[in-house]
Amino acid sequence: PFACRTTLQYHWGTLSKEHPEAQAAAAIELRQLLTRLGPTAIKFGQAMSIRPDLLPSVVIYELQKLCDQVPGYATADALRIIGDEMGCDPTRVFEGLDREAQPIAAASLGQVYKVKLRSPNVTVAVKVQRPDMVRAVSLDLHLLRRYAQCVEAVKGVATWAGVMAQRKQFDLQLVETFAAASYSELDYVNEGRNQERFS
């Protein structure tokens, strides 16, 4: 419904610069839709948030909120994940990381808590992945791969029929590149190593 409605609104001119309220409303709806669709859609929105050559500034502004203003998930779930990873109760290691703790930021893949280590008494950031994130991202990427394969097949038939000019197919390769980057972002151990290297 959103894509059809906004396409028609664009065609009718009701999403032009002369209608900033309509543009703002569509941008907010797009951000909310991407948020509901999950991590891969949020990543797509983040990628589009740096493309002022493709989208109006009001849309860019809304999509930039996907970088650090995504709704978080329950701290109880985060504590369970941390406990499973560490093999102990996180409250034994971190001061201020209990059921009442609130994340200081939440994004597509996880959220961050500002806490103190019990020993040594140092303030640290604890980044916790959302529950079942690898499974969710893998499913999304599988569906994107299938879609890209279908697009390439349709383009192949269109090229064969002479409807479309001959050119190199890149849809599947684009999804594969996106998938590699997505899995790299899911590797928090690697991210930690990189942080240490640059600090």
Side-chain angles (χ1 to χ4, degrees), residues 43-191:
K43 282 286 164 207
F44 173 75
Q46 290 171 343
M48 296 307 292
S49 76
I50 58 170
R51 295 300 307 265
D53 57 321
L54 297 177
L55 298 171
S57 59
V58 66
V59 177
I60 297 292
Y61 174 77
E62 278 302 317
L63 293 181
Q64 285 174 346
K65 293 178 182 178
L66 295 174
C67 295
D68 61 0
Q69 296 179 30
V70 177
Y73 58 96
T75 295
D77 292 336
L79 289 171
R80 180 185 49 76
I81 292 167
I82 295 168
D84 290 348
E85 289 284 322
M86 295 178 63
C88 69
D89 181 358
T91 59
R92 290 178 39 208
V93 179
F94 302 107
E95 183 181 322
L97 186 57
D98 52 33
R99 289 185 176 273
E100 282 72 46
Q102 293 298 313
I104 59 171
S108 58
L109 302 179
Q111 57 196 34
V112 179
Y113 294 88
K114 182 179 176 181
V115 298
K116 283 191 173 189
L117 286 172
R118 293 203 181 271
S119 177
N121 189 13
V122 177
T123 301
V124 296
V126 176
K127 189 172 181 180
V128 189
Q129 233 171 64
R130 291 179 181 271
D132 291 329
M133 190 51 45
V134 173
R135 185 189 59 77
V137 169
S138 296
L139 177 59
D140 288 346
L141 292 173
H142 172 74
L143 294 173
L144 280 174
R145 275 189 197 97
R146 297 296 293 216
Y147 172 76
Q149 289 169 340
C150 290
V151 167
E152 286 191 355
V154 168
K155 285 181 178 179
V157 170
T159 301
W160 175 81
V163 176
M164 207 170 143
Q166 181 74 33
R167 65 179 193 168
K168 182 180 183 329
Q169 299 285 1
F170 63 88
D171 303 278
L172 194 55
Q173 184 179 357
L174 184 64
V175 170
E176 293 300 336
T177 301
F178 182 71
S182 297
Y183 283 123
S184 176
E185 282 191 59
L186 286 169
D187 187 351
Y188 283 8
V189 173
N190 184 52
E191 183 178 333

